[in-house]
Amino acid sequence: MTTAEIQERILKLKKEKDFCILVHAYQSHEIMEIADYTGDSYGLSLQAAKAPQKNIIMCGVRFMAQVVKTLSPEKKVFLANGNAGCPMAEQLTREDVIRMKEQYPDYAVCAYINTTSELKTACDVIVTSSSAVDILKDYPAKKILFIPDCNLGRWVEKQLPEKEFKFFSGGCPTHMRVRKEDVLKAKEEHPEAEFLVHPECLEEVVDLADYVGSTTGIMAYAKKSDKKKFIIGTEASIVQHLQYECPDKKFYLVSEALFCHNMRMTTLMDVLNTLEGTGGDEIIMSEELIKDSLKPIKVMMGEN
Ligand code: 13P
Ligand code: SF4
C-alpha cells in the first residue's frame, strides 16, 4: 500500500470504529495528516478529556497514553507503538519520590508530566512545559521539589523568584545533548535568525534564546513572527513541520543530536494495525491507579 492508501484506510476505519487519533507534535508529517488533534503535552491532556469518541489512539510516548486513560477511564485507549517510552519518565520511581518527601517534608512535590502514573500518585501537582509557570505561580506552597527535569525546573525558578525550589538531576536525554557551542556556531552561521528553544535544554542553552516555550509555543511563535529565519532548539521534527507550514521562512536545527528515537518509533502502519485490532498496546490501569494519579493532574487542570 502507498502512504496515501494507508492514510485513506485509517481515515475510513477511525470513523467506522469511533476512534480519535491524538498526535504529539514530534510525530512525522504523514501521521499529523491523519490526526484529529495535534499539539504539545498540555494540549493533548486537554483534548483527551474532551474527545467525544469511545476509543483513542495516542501517537506519542507511553506516559501520554497513560494520562489520556486517566482522564478518560471509560474509553479504550491505545498507544500506537507499545515500545515508545520516554527515557525521562523512567528516571525516578514512586519509591524514590517517597524517600525525597521524607527528606524534604515541608516541600510540595511537583512532577513534570513526563513521568509514570505510578510516580504521579506520590505527587502534589503535575505540570507541562507550557503550563508550569502559570500553575506554580498560583500554587499555594512556597517550597517546591521539582522532579525529574532540573532544566525545565531552573527555567521555571527564574520566573518565580518568590518560590523556593529544590531539584533532582534528571532531564531529557535528547534536549540535553545540545551545547552552548552548538548555539554559538548556529548563530554565527545565521546571524539574523532568532533562536527558539524548548525549556528541556540545558540552562546554558536556554539563556541564549530569543524565545523559550513548549513545542506548540515554538511553532506558534515562529508562525506569527515577522522574522524570516529561525534556529530551532527542540526535536528535529519541528523544523520539518515549520518548514512545511511556513515555506516563505527558513528554519535551522541547532544540533543534529536533536532526534528522539522514542518519539520517531511510531509509523502509519502502527496506527492502521491498532485500528484493525492487530497492533497497538491497550493501556490498562487499575481503578486505584487512575484515582490516585488523577489527583495531581486535576490540580494542573484547575479542577482540584
Ligand atoms: P511538550 O509537548 O510539552 O512541548 O514537551 C516536549 C516533550 O519532550 C514531550 O515528550
Ligand atoms: Fe522524552 Fe525527551 Fe523524547 Fe520527549 S523528547 S519523549 S522528554 S526523551
Side-chain angles (χ1 to χ4, degrees), residues 26 61 86-88 114 172-175 200 260 263:
Y26 290 157
V61 289
C86 167
M88 184 179 359
N114 298 38
C172 164
T174 301
H175 286 86
E200 286 174 11
C260 176
M263 276 288 184

Side-chain angles (χ1 to χ4, degrees), residues 61 83-85 174 177 235 257 259-266:
V61 289
N83 292 318
T174 301
R177 286 197 285 265
E235 217 278 341
F259 189 93
C260 176
H261 294 276
N262 281 279
M263 276 288 184
R264 300 301 194 95
M265 224 173 246
T266 307

Side-chain angles (χ1 to χ4, degrees), residues 24 26 40-41 63-64 112 114 129 198 200 214-215 263:
H24 187 268
Y26 290 157
D40 64 7
S41 307
F63 77 81
M64 294 175 175
Y112 192 18
N114 298 38
S129 58
H198 197 283
E200 286 174 11
S214 73
T215 46
M263 276 288 184

Side-chain angles (χ1 to χ4, degrees), residues 2 5 7 10 23 48 70 142 166 181 233 253 257 283 298:
T2 64
E5 284 165 350
Q7 286 178 322
I10 288 172
V23 175
T70 306
K142 186 172 182 230
K166 281 212 183 293
E181 298 75 63
L253 187 64
I283 304 295
K298 282 215 157 180

Side-chain angles (χ1 to χ4, degrees), residues 192 194 220-230 248-250:
E192 65 285 40
E194 282 199 320
Y221 181 94
K223 282 190 227 170
K224 233 173 80 185
S225 173
D226 297 334
K227 298 269 167 27
K228 292 283 177 212
K229 293 184 178 182
F230 303 89
D248 60 321
K249 298 182 178 178
K250 271 287 191 203

